Amino acid sequence: VSFLALSPVGPQAGRINNLWWILFWVCMAVFTAVSLALFYSLMRRERRADDDRSLVRGVAGASILTTVILLVLLTVSVSTGNGIHSVPDPNALTIQVIGRQWWWEVHYRHPVPGPEVVTANEIHVPVGKPVQLDLVSNDVIHSFWAPNIHGKKDLIPGHPNTTWFQVDRPGEYRGVCAEFCGVQHAHMAFLIVAEPEEKFRQWLEWQGKPAIAPVTEDQKKGHDLFVSGPCVMCHSIRGTEAGAQAAPDLTHFGSRRSIAAGTLPNTKGHLAGWIVDAQQVKPGANMPTMNLAPSAIEPLLAYLESLR
Ligand SMILES: [Cu+2]
């Protein structure tokens, strides 16, 4: 999983990367020139007769050069800004991302009418295709940032934002919330999974399906505990009675790589820790620690893990 602005995998991050290197080398040259001039003037001991005239010429020359350099930097930075904000394709796949304290709710607008796809903290996209992102927040300001892919874009309550990106290299790229948004801001990561178009289509179709029914005794017991316990007050599992919208949709939770916005890898042990005492793992998160009966834990784990 990569998290590095200087390793761009798409046109937007590519332009930002170019701008960064231009700024770096220009500033490097200016710094070197100023240091040399300073060194030179410190080394000189006496004044010469024509010093005044060459001083005026030197200052005038440096001022003109400074203005030219700043104008060049302004031009490349404005053109980078224009380049990364234009929308290339009105038919681009559109994904709505809702920033929540402290996780990411993800909705896919289906290109053809079909079941809505809702997931959390993991965004799959097809390689080489433009993707439009609709960024929304209903609580506080968050900022969506996957440095390999694009610059930061804020999610502002009452002010939906749109941006677009494209990923040209298959892979998994980490993203984070880049705007302080409360106690668990540092545990608000997400993953962008870029895969070939065909694989992406399969993923989308599968995610649109309702949850698979429990099979084993444990899974059945877990399902009953889930829909009769406190979990249904916050979570949805499409295809069951659980339909609340206050927390991550768990319909295909078993297929996700992480728990609680990149806080823990999605393994049985970590999942047990999370459902037994979420506040221990992510203090302040909006999932309370519930007094689950010890006998409820194994079935709940079996059921949640089966939700592929
Ligand atoms: Cu945030």
Side-chain angles (χ1 to χ4, degrees):
V1 181
S2 178
F3 182 77
L4 186 62
L6 298 182
S7 166
V9 295
Q12 290 74 29
R15 283 170 189 261
I16 294 171
N17 181 58
N18 290 343
L19 177 63
W20 193 88
W21 281 111
I22 292 171
L23 289 176
F24 178 82
W25 286 118
V26 169
C27 293
M28 204 57 174
V30 170
F31 175 72
T32 311
V34 170
S35 303
L36 286 177
L38 180 67
F39 192 67
Y40 171 74
S41 48
L42 285 176
M43 286 298 111
R44 274 187 46 185
R45 294 282 161 89
E46 332 95 56
R47 288 172 66 86
R48 275 194 250 105
D50 62 347
D51 265 5
D52 278 355
R53 232 178 313 126
S54 70
L55 185 70
V56 170
R57 254 187 283 130
V59 170
S63 307
I64 292 170
L65 192 60
T66 306
T67 314
V68 170
I69 291 173
L70 287 178
L71 278 175
V72 168
L73 292 185
L74 181 69
T75 313
V76 289
S77 127
V78 167
S79 89
T80 303
N82 288 341
I84 60 178
H85 289 129
S86 56
V87 177
D89 183 356
N91 298 318
L93 171 74
T94 302
I95 305 174
Q96 186 190 43
V97 175
I98 306 175
R100 300 278 206 121
Q101 281 173 315
W102 291 273
W103 55 283
W104 306 88
E105 183 175 329
V106 182
H107 294 252
Y108 283 79
R109 308 267 168 74
H110 244 287
V112 287
E116 199 193 10
V117 171
V118 187
T119 181
N121 307 322
E122 197 175 299
I123 302 171
H124 288 237
V125 296
V127 168
K129 290 274 151 57
V131 174
Q132 183 181 323
L133 270 189
D134 289 346
L135 299 171
V136 180
S137 169
N138 301 319
D139 44 37
V140 299
I141 300 177
H142 303 277
S143 184
F144 186 94
W145 187 39
N148 295 79
I149 292 170
H150 205 329
K152 298 168 187 169
K153 193 80 174 177
D154 282 0
L155 295 80
I156 302 165
H159 179 86
N161 250 341
T162 295
T163 186
W164 69 274
F165 68 81
Q166 182 173 317
V167 185
D168 290 328
R169 218 183 300 152
E172 294 181 7
Y173 307 101
R174 184 178 155 85
V176 293
C177 178
E179 175 82 44
F180 181 74
C181 59
V183 282
Q184 286 298 338
H185 163 68
H187 286 143
M188 188 170 164
F190 59 92
L191 193 67
I192 292 188
V193 180
E195 49 200 9
E197 170 108 38
E198 183 58 24
K199 228 179 138 204
F200 168 74
R201 291 280 153 212
Q202 284 166 5
W203 177 86
L204 193 63
E205 198 185 315
W206 165 43
Q207 295 283 318
K209 298 211 165 94
I212 54 168
V215 182
T216 67
E217 275 314 305
D218 252 6
Q219 290 169 7
K220 285 185 186 143
K221 206 167 149 218
H223 164 273
D224 297 348
L225 284 163
F226 193 96
V227 297
S228 63
C231 322
V232 279
M233 294 193 311
C234 302
H235 289 283
S236 268
I237 298 180
R238 280 170 277 139
T240 73
E241 296 98 286
Q245 307 286 326
D249 183 296
L250 299 177
T251 310
H252 297 282
F253 168 73
S255 71
R256 296 208 278 268
R257 289 150 175 80
S258 83
I259 301 170
T263 307
L264 296 169
N266 191 358
T267 62
K268 193 172 177 190
H270 289 303
L271 184 57
W274 175 256
I275 65 169
V276 167
D277 195 352
Q279 292 299 311
Q280 181 75 31
V281 178
K282 199 165 171 179
N286 292 313
M287 173 154 155
T289 293
M290 294 152 283
N291 284 317
L292 295 176
S295 62
I297 293 161
E298 198 57 45
L300 273 174
L301 290 177
Y303 179 54
L304 289 171
E305 288 211 303
S306 76
L307 296 174
R308 306 219 133 245

